[in-house]
């Protein structure tokens, strides 16, 4: 059980880093500014077009489909990772 927990923690950490890199590139900001608790709109300055592009990129990258209800939960980087993790 401990090994499974450690593997899951590592997978989430890798996923977080990937999401941070993708958002930093999309928003043309430093990855250092994309903290797990950063609010995508308020802290990072994303607009509605940025959000739509982010959703499409995440769906392509992770091979998932994100519903409108799930999108509403994606206010922070950690929220994005939680939604993706729940789909994998």
């Amino acid at each position: 059980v401990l090994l499974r927990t450690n593997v899951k923690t590592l997978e989430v950490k890798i996923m977080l880093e990937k999401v941070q890199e993708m958002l930093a590139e999309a928003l043309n900001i430093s990855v250092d500014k994309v903290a797990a608790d950063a609010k995508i709109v308020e802290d990072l300055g994303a607009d509605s077009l940025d959000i739509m592009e982010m959703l499409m990129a995440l769906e392509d990258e992770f091979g998932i489909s994100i519903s409108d209800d799930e999108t509403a939960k994606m206010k922070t980087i950690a929220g994005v990772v939680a939604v993706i993790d729940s789909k994998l």
Side-chain angles (χ1 to χ4, degrees):
V1 173
L2 183 57
L3 180 58
R4 199 173 331 160
T5 302
N6 288 341
V7 169
K8 184 68 170 173
T9 300
L10 181 59
E11 289 173 350
V12 171
K13 185 176 191 290
I14 292 168
M15 193 182 317
L16 172 63
E17 290 172 357
K18 182 64 179 173
V19 169
Q20 288 172 313
E21 290 169 7
M22 290 174 69
L23 276 170
E25 185 176 331
L27 298 174
N28 200 28
I29 59 175
S30 168
V31 74
D32 298 334
K33 293 184 178 183
V34 189
D37 62 347
K39 294 179 182 169
I40 297 169
V41 174
E42 293 88 345
D43 297 335
L44 303 180
D47 61 25
S48 58
L49 181 58
D50 293 326
I51 301 291
M52 291 306 297
E53 290 174 349
M54 174 193 74
L55 289 173
M56 290 187 296
L58 291 170
E59 288 176 331
D60 288 345
E61 178 70 27
F62 293 100
I64 59 174
S65 179
I66 301 170
S67 71
D68 290 343
D69 289 341
E70 291 164 326
T71 301
K73 298 176 187 175
M74 300 171 72
K75 304 266 186 232
T76 64
I77 305 306
V80 171
V81 172
V83 168
I84 294 168
D85 185 44
S86 74
K87 307 288 269 177
L88 299 177

Coordinates of all heavy atoms in Angstrom, one line a residue:
V1 N 0.8 -1.2 0.0 CA 0.0 0.0 0.0 C 0.9 1.2 0.0 O 0.6 2.2 -0.7 CB -1.0 0.0 1.2 CG1 -1.7 1.3 1.3 CG2 -1.9 -1.2 1.1
L2 N 1.9 1.2 0.8 CA 2.8 2.4 0.8 C 3.5 2.7 -0.5 O 3.6 3.8 -1.0 CB 3.9 2.2 1.9 CG 4.9 3.4 2.2 CD1 4.1 4.6 2.5 CD2 5.9 3.0 3.2
L3 N 3.9 1.6 -1.2 CA 4.5 1.7 -2.5 C 3.5 2.3 -3.5 O 3.9 3.2 -4.2 CB 5.0 0.4 -3.0 CG 5.7 0.4 -4.4 CD1 6.9 1.4 -4.4 CD2 6.2 -1.0 -4.8
R4 N 2.3 1.9 -3.5 CA 1.2 2.4 -4.3 C 1.0 3.9 -4.0 O 0.8 4.7 -5.0 CB 0.0 1.6 -4.1 CG -1.0 1.7 -5.3 CD -2.2 0.8 -5.2 NE -1.9 -0.4 -4.5 CZ -2.7 -1.2 -3.9 NH1 -4.0 -0.9 -4.0 NH2 -2.4 -2.3 -3.3
T5 N 1.0 4.2 -2.8 CA 0.8 5.6 -2.4 C 1.9 6.5 -2.9 O 1.7 7.6 -3.4 CB 0.7 5.8 -0.9 OG1 -0.4 5.0 -0.4 CG2 0.5 7.2 -0.4
N6 N 3.2 6.0 -2.8 CA 4.3 6.8 -3.3 C 4.3 6.9 -4.8 O 4.7 8.0 -5.3 CB 5.6 6.1 -2.8 CG 5.9 6.2 -1.3 OD1 5.3 7.1 -0.7 ND2 6.7 5.4 -0.8
V7 N 3.9 5.9 -5.5 CA 3.8 6.0 -6.9 C 2.7 7.0 -7.3 O 3.0 7.8 -8.2 CB 3.5 4.6 -7.5 CG1 3.1 4.7 -9.0 CG2 4.7 3.6 -7.3
K8 N 1.6 6.9 -6.7 CA 0.5 7.9 -7.0 C 1.0 9.3 -6.7 O 0.7 10.2 -7.5 CB -0.7 7.5 -6.1 CG -1.9 8.4 -6.4 CD -2.4 8.1 -7.8 CE -3.8 8.8 -8.0 NZ -4.2 8.6 -9.4
T9 N 1.7 9.5 -5.6 CA 2.2 10.9 -5.2 C 3.2 11.3 -6.3 O 3.1 12.5 -6.7 CB 2.9 10.8 -3.9 OG1 2.0 10.4 -2.9 CG2 3.4 12.2 -3.5
L10 N 4.0 10.4 -6.8 CA 5.0 10.8 -7.8 C 4.2 11.1 -9.1 O 4.6 12.1 -9.8 CB 6.0 9.7 -8.1 CG 7.1 9.9 -9.1 CD1 7.9 11.1 -8.7 CD2 7.9 8.7 -9.3
E11 N 3.2 10.3 -9.5 CA 2.5 10.6 -10.7 C 1.8 12.0 -10.6 O 1.8 12.7 -11.6 CB 1.4 9.5 -10.9 CG 1.9 8.2 -11.3 CD 0.8 7.1 -11.3 OE1 -0.3 7.4 -10.8 OE2 1.1 6.0 -11.8
V12 N 1.2 12.3 -9.5 CA 0.6 13.6 -9.3 C 1.6 14.8 -9.4 O 1.4 15.8 -10.0 CB -0.2 13.7 -8.0 CG1 -0.7 15.1 -7.7 CG2 -1.4 12.7 -8.1
K13 N 2.8 14.5 -8.8 CA 3.9 15.6 -8.9 C 4.3 15.8 -10.4 O 4.5 16.9 -10.8 CB 5.1 15.1 -8.1 CG 6.1 16.1 -7.9 CD 7.2 15.7 -7.0 CE 8.2 16.7 -6.7 NZ 9.1 17.2 -7.7
I14 N 4.5 14.7 -11.1 CA 4.9 14.8 -12.5 C 3.8 15.5 -13.3 O 4.0 16.4 -14.1 CB 5.2 13.4 -13.1 CG1 6.5 12.9 -12.5 CG2 5.3 13.5 -14.6 CD1 6.7 11.4 -12.7
M15 N 2.5 15.2 -13.0 CA 1.4 15.8 -13.7 C 1.3 17.3 -13.4 O 1.1 18.1 -14.3 CB 0.1 15.2 -13.2 CG -1.1 15.5 -14.0 SD -2.6 14.7 -13.3 CE -2.1 13.1 -12.9
L16 N 1.6 17.7 -12.1 CA 1.6 19.1 -11.7 C 2.7 19.8 -12.5 O 2.4 20.9 -13.0 CB 1.8 19.2 -10.2 CG 2.1 20.6 -9.7 CD1 0.8 21.5 -9.9 CD2 2.4 20.6 -8.2
E17 N 3.8 19.3 -12.6 CA 4.9 19.9 -13.3 C 4.6 20.1 -14.8 O 4.9 21.2 -15.3 CB 6.2 19.1 -13.1 CG 6.8 19.2 -11.7 CD 8.0 18.2 -11.5 OE1 8.3 17.5 -12.4 OE2 8.5 18.3 -10.3
K18 N 4.0 19.1 -15.4 CA 3.6 19.2 -16.8 C 2.5 20.3 -17.0 O 2.7 21.1 -17.9 CB 3.0 17.9 -17.3 CG 2.7 17.9 -18.7 CD 3.9 18.1 -19.6 CE 3.5 18.1 -21.1 NZ 4.6 18.4 -21.9
V19 N 1.5 20.4 -16.1 CA 0.5 21.4 -16.2 C 1.1 22.8 -16.0 O 0.8 23.7 -16.7 CB -0.6 21.2 -15.2 CG1 -1.6 22.3 -15.1 CG2 -1.4 19.9 -15.5
Q20 N 2.0 22.9 -15.0 CA 2.7 24.2 -14.8 C 3.5 24.6 -16.0 O 3.4 25.8 -16.4 CB 3.6 24.1 -13.6 CG 2.9 24.0 -12.3 CD 3.8 23.7 -11.1 OE1 4.7 22.8 -11.2 NE2 3.7 24.4 -10.0
E21 N 4.2 23.7 -16.7 CA 5.0 24.0 -17.9 C 4.1 24.4 -19.0 O 4.3 25.4 -19.7 CB 5.8 22.8 -18.3 CG 7.0 22.5 -17.4 CD 7.6 21.2 -17.6 OE1 7.2 20.5 -18.7 OE2 8.5 20.7 -16.8
M22 N 3.0 23.7 -19.2 CA 2.0 24.0 -20.3 C 1.4 25.4 -20.1 O 1.3 26.2 -21.0 CB 0.9 22.9 -20.3 CG 1.4 21.6 -20.8 SD 0.1 20.3 -20.7 CE -1.0 20.9 -22.0
L23 N 1.0 25.7 -18.9 CA 0.4 27.0 -18.6 C 1.4 28.1 -18.7 O 1.0 29.2 -19.3 CB -0.3 27.0 -17.3 CG -1.7 26.4 -17.2 CD1 -2.2 26.3 -15.8 CD2 -2.6 27.3 -18.0
A24 N 2.6 27.9 -18.2 CA 3.6 29.0 -18.4 C 3.9 29.3 -19.8 O 3.9 30.5 -20.2 CB 4.9 28.5 -17.6
E25 N 4.0 28.3 -20.6 CA 4.2 28.5 -22.1 C 3.0 29.2 -22.7 O 3.2 30.1 -23.5 CB 4.5 27.1 -22.7 CG 4.9 27.3 -24.2 CD 5.3 26.0 -24.8 OE1 5.8 25.1 -24.1 OE2 5.1 25.9 -26.1
A26 N 1.8 28.7 -22.4 CA 0.6 29.3 -23.0 C 0.4 30.7 -22.7 O -0.1 31.5 -23.5 CB -0.6 28.4 -22.7
L27 N 0.7 31.1 -21.4 CA 0.5 32.4 -21.0 C 1.8 33.3 -21.1 O 1.7 34.5 -20.7 CB 0.0 32.4 -19.5 CG -1.3 31.7 -19.3 CD1 -1.6 31.6 -17.8 CD2 -2.4 32.4 -20.0
N28 N 2.8 32.7 -21.6 CA 4.1 33.4 -21.8 C 4.6 34.1 -20.5 O 4.9 35.2 -20.4 CB 3.9 34.5 -22.9 CG 5.3 34.9 -23.4 OD1 6.2 34.1 -23.4 ND2 5.4 36.1 -23.9
I29 N 4.6 33.2 -19.4 CA 5.1 33.7 -18.1 C 6.1 32.7 -17.6 O 6.2 31.5 -18.1 CB 3.9 33.9 -17.1 CG1 3.2 32.6 -16.9 CG2 3.0 35.0 -17.5 CD1 2.1 32.6 -15.8
S30 N 6.8 33.0 -16.6 CA 7.8 32.1 -16.0 C 7.1 31.0 -15.3 O 6.1 31.2 -14.6 CB 8.7 32.9 -15.0 OG 9.4 32.0 -14.2
V31 N 7.6 29.8 -15.4 CA 7.0 28.6 -14.7 C 7.1 28.8 -13.2 O 6.2 28.3 -12.5 CB 7.7 27.3 -15.2 CG1 9.1 27.2 -14.6 CG2 6.8 26.1 -14.8
D32 N 8.0 29.7 -12.7 CA 8.1 29.9 -11.3 C 6.8 30.6 -10.7 O 6.5 30.5 -9.6 CB 9.3 30.8 -11.0 CG 10.6 30.1 -11.3 OD1 10.6 28.9 -11.3 OD2 11.6 30.8 -11.6
K33 N 6.1 31.4 -11.6 CA 4.9 32.1 -11.2 C 3.7 31.1 -11.1 O 2.6 31.5 -10.6 CB 4.6 33.2 -12.2 CG 5.6 34.3 -12.1 CD 5.2 35.5 -13.0 CE 6.2 36.6 -12.9 NZ 5.8 37.7 -13.7
V34 N 3.8 29.9 -11.7 CA 2.7 29.0 -11.8 C 2.7 28.0 -10.6 O 3.0 26.9 -10.8 CB 2.7 28.2 -13.2 CG1 1.4 27.4 -13.3 CG2 2.8 29.2 -14.3
A35 N 2.4 28.6 -9.4 CA 2.4 27.8 -8.2 C 1.1 26.9 -8.2 O 0.1 27.3 -8.8 CB 2.5 28.7 -7.0
A36 N 1.2 25.8 -7.4 CA 0.0 24.9 -7.3 C -1.2 25.7 -6.9 O -2.4 25.4 -7.3 CB 0.3 23.8 -6.4
D37 N -1.1 26.7 -6.0 CA -2.2 27.4 -5.5 C -2.6 28.6 -6.3 O -3.5 29.4 -5.9 CB -2.0 27.7 -4.0 CG -0.9 28.6 -3.7 OD1 0.0 28.8 -4.7 OD2 -0.8 29.1 -2.6
A38 N -1.9 28.9 -7.4 CA -2.1 30.1 -8.2 C -3.5 30.0 -8.8 O -3.9 28.9 -9.4 CB -1.1 30.2 -9.3
K39 N -4.3 31.0 -8.8 CA -5.6 31.1 -9.5 C -5.3 31.5 -10.9 O -4.6 32.5 -11.2 CB -6.4 32.2 -8.8 CG -6.8 31.8 -7.4 CD -7.7 32.8 -6.7 CE -8.0 32.4 -5.3 NZ -8.6 33.5 -4.5
I40 N -5.9 30.7 -11.8 CA -5.6 30.8 -13.2 C -5.9 32.2 -13.8 O -5.2 32.8 -14.5 CB -6.2 29.7 -14.0 CG1 -5.7 28.3 -13.5 CG2 -6.0 29.8 -15.5 CD1 -6.4 27.1 -14.0
V41 N -7.1 32.7 -13.4 CA -7.5 34.0 -14.0 C -6.9 35.1 -13.1 O -6.3 36.0 -13.7 CB -9.1 34.1 -14.0 CG1 -9.5 35.5 -14.4 CG2 -9.6 33.0 -15.0
E42 N -7.2 35.1 -11.8 CA -6.8 36.2 -11.0 C -5.3 36.4 -10.9 O -4.8 37.5 -11.0 CB -7.4 36.1 -9.6 CG -8.9 36.2 -9.6 CD -9.6 34.9 -9.8 OE1 -9.0 33.9 -10.2 OE2 -10.8 34.8 -9.5
D43 N -4.5 35.3 -10.6 CA -3.1 35.4 -10.4 C -2.3 35.3 -11.6 O -1.2 36.0 -11.7 CB -2.6 34.3 -9.4 CG -3.3 34.3 -8.1 OD1 -3.7 35.5 -7.6 OD2 -3.4 33.3 -7.4
L44 N -2.7 34.5 -12.6 CA -1.9 34.3 -13.8 C -2.4 35.2 -15.0 O -1.7 35.2 -16.0 CB -1.9 32.8 -14.2 CG -1.4 31.9 -13.1 CD1 -1.4 30.5 -13.6 CD2 0.0 32.3 -12.6
G45 N -3.5 35.8 -14.9 CA -4.0 36.7 -15.9 C -4.6 36.0 -17.2 O -4.7 36.7 -18.2
A46 N -5.0 34.8 -17.0 CA -5.6 34.1 -18.2 C -7.0 34.7 -18.5 O -7.8 35.1 -17.6 CB -5.8 32.6 -17.9
D47 N -7.3 34.8 -19.8 CA -8.7 35.2 -20.2 C -9.4 34.0 -20.7 O -8.9 32.9 -20.7 CB -8.6 36.4 -21.2 CG -7.9 36.0 -22.5 OD1 -7.8 34.7 -22.8 OD2 -7.4 36.8 -23.2
S48 N -10.6 34.2 -21.2 CA -11.5 33.1 -21.6 C -10.9 32.3 -22.8 O -11.0 31.1 -22.8 CB -12.9 33.6 -21.9 OG -12.9 34.6 -23.0
L49 N -10.2 33.0 -23.7 CA -9.6 32.3 -24.8 C -8.4 31.5 -24.3 O -8.3 30.3 -24.7 CB -9.1 33.3 -25.8 CG -8.4 32.7 -27.1 CD1 -9.3 31.8 -27.8 CD2 -7.9 33.8 -28.0
D50 N -7.7 32.0 -23.3 CA -6.6 31.2 -22.7 C -7.1 30.0 -22.1 O -6.5 28.9 -22.2 CB -5.8 32.0 -21.7 CG -5.1 33.2 -22.2 OD1 -4.5 33.1 -23.4 OD2 -5.0 34.3 -21.5
I51 N -8.3 30.1 -21.4 CA -8.9 29.0 -20.7 C -9.3 27.9 -21.7 O -9.0 26.7 -21.5 CB -10.1 29.4 -19.9 CG1 -9.7 30.4 -18.8 CG2 -10.8 28.2 -19.3 CD1 -8.9 29.9 -17.7
M52 N -9.9 28.3 -22.8 CA -10.4 27.3 -23.8 C -9.2 26.6 -24.5 O -9.2 25.4 -24.7 CB -11.2 28.0 -24.9 CG -12.5 28.5 -24.4 SD -13.5 27.2 -23.6 CE -13.8 26.1 -25.0
E53 N -8.1 27.4 -24.8 CA -6.9 26.8 -25.3 C -6.3 25.8 -24.4 O -5.8 24.8 -24.7 CB -5.9 27.9 -25.8 CG -6.4 28.7 -27.0 CD -5.5 29.8 -27.3 OE1 -4.7 30.2 -26.5 OE2 -5.8 30.4 -28.4
M54 N -6.2 26.2 -23.1 CA -5.7 25.3 -22.0 C -6.5 24.0 -22.0 O -5.9 23.0 -21.9 CB -5.7 26.1 -20.7 CG -5.3 25.2 -19.5 SD -5.6 25.9 -17.9 CE -7.4 25.6 -17.8
L55 N -7.8 24.1 -22.0 CA -8.6 22.9 -21.9 C -8.3 22.0 -23.1 O -8.2 20.8 -22.9 CB -10.1 23.3 -21.8 CG -10.6 23.9 -20.6 CD1 -12.0 24.4 -20.7 CD2 -10.4 23.0 -19.4
M56 N -8.3 22.5 -24.3 CA -8.0 21.7 -25.4 C -6.6 21.0 -25.4 O -6.4 19.9 -25.7 CB -8.1 22.5 -26.7 CG -9.6 22.9 -27.0 SD -9.8 23.7 -28.6 CE -8.9 25.2 -28.4
A57 N -5.6 21.8 -24.9 CA -4.3 21.3 -24.8 C -4.2 20.2 -23.7 O -3.5 19.2 -23.9 CB -3.3 22.4 -24.4
L58 N -4.9 20.4 -22.6 CA -4.9 19.4 -21.5 C -5.6 18.1 -22.0 O -5.1 17.0 -21.8 CB -5.6 19.9 -20.3 CG -4.9 21.0 -19.5 CD1 -5.8 21.6 -18.5 CD2 -3.6 20.5 -18.9
E59 N -6.7 18.3 -22.7 CA -7.4 17.1 -23.2 C -6.5 16.3 -24.2 O -6.5 15.1 -24.2 CB -8.7 17.5 -23.9 CG -9.8 18.0 -22.9 CD -11.0 18.5 -23.6 OE1 -11.0 19.0 -24.7 OE2 -12.1 18.4 -23.0
D60 N -5.8 17.0 -25.1 CA -4.9 16.4 -26.0 C -3.7 15.7 -25.3 O -3.4 14.6 -25.6 CB -4.4 17.4 -27.1 CG -5.4 17.8 -28.1 OD1 -6.5 17.1 -28.2 OD2 -5.2 18.8 -28.8
E61 N -3.1 16.4 -24.4 CA -1.9 15.9 -23.7 C -2.2 14.7 -22.9 O -1.5 13.7 -22.9 CB -1.4 17.0 -22.8 CG -0.2 16.6 -22.0 CD 1.1 16.4 -22.8 OE1 1.2 17.0 -23.8 OE2 1.9 15.6 -22.3
F62 N -3.4 14.7 -22.2 CA -3.7 13.6 -21.3 C -4.7 12.6 -21.8 O -5.0 11.6 -21.1 CB -4.1 14.1 -19.9 CG -3.0 14.9 -19.2 CD1 -3.0 16.3 -19.2 CD2 -2.0 14.2 -18.5 CE1 -2.0 17.0 -18.6 CE2 -1.0 14.9 -17.9 CZ -1.0 16.3 -17.9
G63 N -5.2 12.8 -23.0 CA -6.1 11.9 -23.6 C -7.4 11.8 -22.9 O -8.0 10.7 -22.7
I64 N -7.9 12.9 -22.4 CA -9.2 13.0 -21.6 C -10.2 13.9 -22.2 O -9.8 14.7 -23.1 CB -8.9 13.4 -20.1 CG1 -8.2 14.7 -20.0 CG2 -8.0 12.3 -19.4 CD1 -8.1 15.3 -18.7
S65 N -11.4 13.9 -21.7 CA -12.4 14.9 -22.0 C -12.8 15.6 -20.8 O -13.1 14.9 -19.8 CB -13.6 14.1 -22.7 OG -14.6 15.1 -23.0
I66 N -12.9 16.9 -20.8 CA -13.2 17.7 -19.6 C -14.6 18.3 -19.8 O -14.8 19.1 -20.7 CB -12.1 18.7 -19.3 CG1 -10.8 18.0 -19.1 CG2 -12.5 19.6 -18.1 CD1 -9.6 19.0 -19.1
S67 N -15.5 18.0 -18.9 CA -16.9 18.5 -19.0 C -16.9 20.0 -18.4 O -16.0 20.4 -17.8 CB -17.8 17.7 -18.2 OG -17.6 17.8 -16.8
D68 N -18.1 20.6 -18.7 CA -18.2 22.0 -18.2 C -18.2 22.0 -16.7 O -17.7 22.9 -16.0 CB -19.6 22.6 -18.7 CG -19.5 22.9 -20.2 OD1 -18.4 23.0 -20.8 OD2 -20.6 23.1 -20.8
D69 N -18.9 21.0 -16.0 CA -18.9 20.9 -14.6 C -17.4 20.8 -14.0 O -17.1 21.4 -13.0 CB -19.7 19.7 -14.1 CG -21.2 19.9 -14.3 OD1 -21.6 21.1 -14.5 OD2 -21.9 18.9 -14.3
E70 N -16.6 20.0 -14.7 CA -15.2 19.8 -14.2 C -14.4 21.1 -14.5 O -13.6 21.5 -13.6 CB -14.6 18.6 -15.0 CG -15.2 17.3 -14.6 CD -14.9 16.2 -15.5 OE1 -14.7 16.4 -16.7 OE2 -14.7 15.0 -15.0
T71 N -14.7 21.8 -15.6 CA -14.0 23.0 -15.8 C -14.3 24.0 -14.7 O -13.4 24.8 -14.3 CB -14.5 23.6 -17.2 OG1 -14.3 22.7 -18.2 CG2 -13.8 24.9 -17.5
A72 N -15.5 24.0 -14.2 CA -15.8 25.0 -13.1 C -15.0 24.7 -11.8 O -14.7 25.6 -11.0 CB -17.3 24.9 -12.7
K73 N -14.4 23.5 -11.7 CA -13.6 23.1 -10.5 C -12.1 23.5 -10.7 O -11.3 23.4 -9.8 CB -13.7 21.6 -10.3 CG -15.0 21.1 -9.9 CD -15.0 19.6 -9.8 CE -16.4 19.0 -9.7 NZ -16.4 17.6 -9.6
M74 N -11.8 24.0 -11.9 CA -10.4 24.2 -12.3 C -10.0 25.7 -12.1 O -9.6 26.4 -13.1 CB -10.2 23.8 -13.7 CG -10.5 22.3 -13.9 SD -10.5 21.7 -15.6 CE -8.7 21.8 -16.0
K75 N -10.2 26.2 -10.9 CA -9.9 27.6 -10.6 C -8.4 27.8 -10.4 O -7.8 28.9 -10.6 CB -10.7 28.1 -9.4 CG -12.2 27.9 -9.6 CD -12.8 29.1 -10.1 CE -14.3 29.0 -10.1 NZ -14.9 29.3 -11.4
T76 N -7.7 26.8 -9.8 CA -6.3 26.9 -9.5 C -5.6 25.8 -10.2 O -6.2 24.8 -10.8 CB -6.1 26.7 -8.0 OG1 -6.5 25.3 -7.6 CG2 -6.8 27.7 -7.1
I77 N -4.2 25.8 -10.2 CA -3.4 24.8 -10.8 C -3.7 23.5 -10.1 O -3.8 22.4 -10.8 CB -1.9 25.2 -10.8 CG1 -1.7 26.5 -11.4 CG2 -1.1 24.1 -11.4 CD1 -2.2 26.7 -12.8
A78 N -3.8 23.5 -8.8 CA -4.1 22.2 -8.1 C -5.4 21.7 -8.5 O -5.6 20.5 -8.6 CB -4.0 22.5 -6.6
G79 N -6.4 22.6 -8.7 CA -7.7 22.1 -9.2 C -7.7 21.5 -10.6 O -8.3 20.5 -10.8
V80 N -6.8 22.0 -11.4 CA -6.6 21.4 -12.8 C -6.1 20.0 -12.6 O -6.6 19.0 -13.2 CB -5.7 22.3 -13.6 CG1 -5.3 21.5 -14.9 CG2 -6.3 23.6 -13.9
V81 N -5.0 19.9 -11.8 CA -4.4 18.6 -11.6 C -5.4 17.6 -10.9 O -5.4 16.4 -11.3 CB -3.1 18.7 -10.7 CG1 -2.5 17.4 -10.3 CG2 -2.1 19.6 -11.5
A82 N -6.2 18.0 -10.0 CA -7.2 17.1 -9.4 C -8.2 16.6 -10.4 O -8.5 15.4 -10.4 CB -7.9 17.9 -8.2
V83 N -8.6 17.5 -11.3 CA -9.6 17.0 -12.3 C -8.9 16.0 -13.2 O -9.5 14.9 -13.5 CB -10.2 18.2 -13.1 CG1 -10.9 17.7 -14.3 CG2 -11.1 19.0 -12.2
I84 N -7.7 16.3 -13.7 CA -7.0 15.4 -14.6 C -6.8 14.1 -13.9 O -7.0 13.0 -14.4 CB -5.6 16.0 -15.0 CG1 -5.9 17.2 -15.9 CG2 -4.8 15.0 -15.8 CD1 -4.6 18.0 -16.2
D85 N -6.3 14.1 -12.6 CA -6.0 12.9 -11.9 C -7.3 12.0 -11.7 O -7.2 10.8 -11.8 CB -5.5 13.3 -10.5 CG -5.0 12.0 -9.7 OD1 -4.4 11.2 -10.3 OD2 -5.4 12.0 -8.5
S86 N -8.4 12.7 -11.6 CA -9.7 11.9 -11.4 C -10.1 11.2 -12.7 O -10.9 10.3 -12.7 CB -10.8 12.9 -10.9 OG -11.3 13.7 -12.0
K87 N -9.6 11.7 -13.8 CA -9.9 11.1 -15.1 C -9.0 10.0 -15.6 O -9.3 9.3 -16.5 CB -9.9 12.2 -16.2 CG -10.7 13.5 -15.9 CD -12.1 13.2 -16.0 CE -12.6 13.5 -17.4 NZ -14.0 13.2 -17.6
L88 N -7.9 9.9 -14.9 CA -6.9 8.9 -15.3 C -6.9 7.6 -14.5 O -7.4 7.6 -13.4 CB -5.5 9.5 -15.3 CG -5.2 10.7 -16.2 CD1 -3.8 11.2 -16.0 CD2 -5.4 10.3 -17.6

